[in-house]
Amino acid sequence: MRLHEYQAKQVFADAGVPTPASQLATTVDEAVDAAEDIGYPVAIKAQVHVGGRGKAGGIKLVENKEEAEEAADAILGMDLKGYHVSKVLVEEAVDFVNELYVGVTMDRGEGEPVAMVSTKGGVNIEEVAEEDPDAIAREHIDPAFGMHPFQARKVVYEAGVDRDVANDVASVLTTLYQLWDDRDGSDVEVNPLMITSDDEVIAADAVMNIDDDALFRQPEIAEMGEEAEEGDELEQKADEYGFDYVRLDGNVGIIGNGAGLVMTTLDLVDYYGGEPANFLDVGGGAKADRIANALDMVFSDDNVDSVVFNIFGGITRGDEVANGINQALEQFDEIPKPVTVRLAGTNAEEGMEILNEDLVTVEHTLEDAVQRAVEYAKEVEA
């Protein structure tokens, strides 16, 4: 479960992490009143679960009432990468001289949580990890003992953080780990953690994702989750259908059965030069109507330009999947997005024969299916 920035910042602030003064607004008048109350300059920030808000026009820095009114009017109600913006966070602007990244997540390869610090804050940390992995310092933590103070200092030192603010950054990191542990977090991060000319450390952004399976013992967070998902029609629809679904920023829709299979497909889309639009696991034993619901969901995402199906038959039979795909696509006078299908396992050959190749492209290997879906998406982009 993902919290909005304003919710995560409230949790961080309650735990002692410095955050800018801010107010939530749902109308232009509320946004202007908040800006006047906080004092200019302020940032007006769309509250949606999507990265790259600034580049997409979802964050604007304003210097006066007229600019605040104009920015709030432009952001509220906008469609931001497929998300409807119904709330903005009006926040005190931070005059910074440096930006850092600090975060805690689970390293599944090591079987331990890992704390991370980088002096390359304010940019996509995944890109930093890919292009310059040495720019991110890491420290694994034994969950039986928690984060020791020396570990926080060590990872901050190894990242090259300036000595004048190192202790404060280590304190923020320690608090983030404590929140990750106490709140059953999956990811907790600040990007950027801003450093001012007065050597103040301020969390200018906040990310907090919670393990869904632990929400029963996090009632306060669970209540936030109901508000956080409000207005996200696709994720609400996924809950209704009983799908495991995560919306991403790309344009290649992905449907599979089993989390591992879907993750493999996501990785291959990235490997072949595409960008995944979602994680959608239809689960085992999916019948035709369930497959049709999955297609309906992916087609409803305006960001999706092509769709790839990756189904391995075990409990889920290939012929059932093929029937579901045919039934879903036959509802359309014109197929809204090109669909590529790869079936393997139980009744896969029967499924291949059932598939209407006037409606879908059939590939016999996963690699071929992913490459074809990426090609289709790039053709739409062109």
Side-chain angles (χ1 to χ4, degrees):
M1 188 197 77
R2 298 177 292 173
L3 297 185
H4 281 301
E5 175 192 3
Y6 74 91
Q7 296 170 316
K9 278 184 172 169
Q10 184 59 59
V11 175
F12 288 7
D14 290 345
V17 175
T19 60
S22 63
Q23 294 181 30
L24 189 68
T26 58
T27 67
V28 173
D29 288 343
E30 287 179 1
V32 172
D33 289 344
E36 296 279 311
D37 188 37
I38 293 169
Y40 297 101
V42 298
I44 298 181
K45 309 169 79 173
Q47 296 299 286
V48 289
H49 296 304
V50 66
R53 291 175 296 166
K55 291 181 180 179
I59 299 178
K60 296 184 182 294
L61 189 66
V62 299
E63 301 281 349
N64 53 53
K65 181 177 180 179
E66 290 73 21
E67 290 182 3
E69 185 173 352
E70 182 179 344
D73 185 57
I75 295 173
L76 283 166
M78 76 182 299
D79 183 274
L80 191 62
K81 296 186 178 182
Y83 286 80
H84 177 76
V85 179
S86 60
K87 305 182 185 74
V88 294
L89 185 66
V90 182
E91 183 174 85
E92 176 188 10
V94 179
D95 185 12
F96 65 94
V97 295
N98 200 3
E99 295 178 296
L100 309 178
Y101 168 90
V102 294
V104 179
T105 189
M106 173 59 74
D107 185 338
R108 300 193 184 280
E110 294 293 329
E112 289 182 329
V114 60
M116 298 177 292
V117 180
S118 177
T119 55
K120 292 190 173 182
V123 296
N124 188 322
I125 197 63
E126 286 80 9
E127 292 180 4
V128 174
E130 182 176 344
E131 298 171 4
D132 188 8
D134 292 338
I136 304 174
R138 298 171 173 84
E139 179 71 14
H140 287 89
I141 303 158
D142 186 335
F145 298 99
M147 176 180 278
H148 296 291
F150 81 86
Q151 290 180 294
R153 293 193 298 268
K154 175 173 175 282
V155 70
V156 168
Y157 172 80
E158 289 177 348
V161 174
D162 189 277
R163 186 186 297 267
D164 292 336
V165 296
N167 284 337
D168 288 340
V169 175
S171 176
V172 169
L173 183 61
T174 301
T175 302
L176 292 186
Y177 176 79
Q178 199 61 53
L179 285 170
W180 182 90
D181 188 40
D182 292 345
R183 297 292 194 168
D184 294 297
S186 56
D187 304 286
V188 177
E189 66 179 40
V190 176
N191 187 24
L193 183 67
M194 288 184 169
I195 311 300
T196 72
S197 57
D198 297 327
D199 290 336
E200 290 185 280
V201 175
I202 300 176
D205 198 4
V207 171
M208 190 170 190
N209 299 330
I210 307 299
D211 184 345
D212 288 334
D213 293 330
L215 286 176
F216 72 94
R217 60 187 186 191
Q218 301 290 347
E220 294 179 5
I221 297 292
E223 288 181 9
M224 287 184 177
E226 294 176 5
E227 183 179 349
E229 300 304 330
E230 182 183 352
D232 189 342
E233 295 179 3
L234 284 176
E235 295 200 359
Q236 289 179 354
K237 187 178 288 188
D239 287 339
E240 293 173 8
Y241 290 151
F243 293 145
D244 289 328
Y245 175 82
V246 178
R247 198 173 189 185
L248 304 173
D249 295 338
N251 62 348
V252 179
I254 296 169
I255 302 172
N257 61 321
L261 203 64
V262 178
M263 286 301 298
T264 299
T265 312
L266 262 73
D267 289 342
L268 281 173
V269 168
D270 183 68
Y271 178 78
Y272 287 117
E275 296 183 25
N278 64 270
F279 172 105
L280 199 167
D281 176 11
V282 297
K287 303 297 183 182
D289 59 342
R290 192 165 173 82
I291 296 297
N293 289 340
L295 269 172
D296 173 61
M297 275 199 61
V298 177
F299 283 164
S300 298
D301 187 344
D302 292 335
N303 290 344
V304 171
D305 291 326
S306 76
V307 181
V308 58
F309 257 100
N310 181 18
I311 301 292
F312 186 86
I315 299 173
T316 305
R317 290 166 28 203
D319 56 329
E320 283 283 355
V321 174
N323 281 324
I325 294 171
N326 286 344
Q327 289 177 21
L329 294 179
E330 286 166 1
Q331 298 172 13
F332 297 92
D333 294 329
E334 182 177 349
I335 306 304
K337 332 265 184 175
V339 178
T340 307
V341 181
R342 176 261 189 175
L343 298 179
T346 304
N347 289 5
E349 292 184 7
E350 292 87 338
M352 294 288 195
E353 294 175 1
I354 291 171
L355 283 170
N356 184 344
E357 294 193 45
D358 291 333
L359 303 177
V360 302
T361 300
V362 178
E363 297 289 352
H364 292 276
T365 70
L366 175 56
E367 290 80 2
D368 288 344
V370 169
Q371 288 184 74
R372 182 61 63 91
V374 170
E375 288 171 3
Y376 283 146
K378 289 182 176 179
E379 288 172 5
V380 173
E381 287 180 338

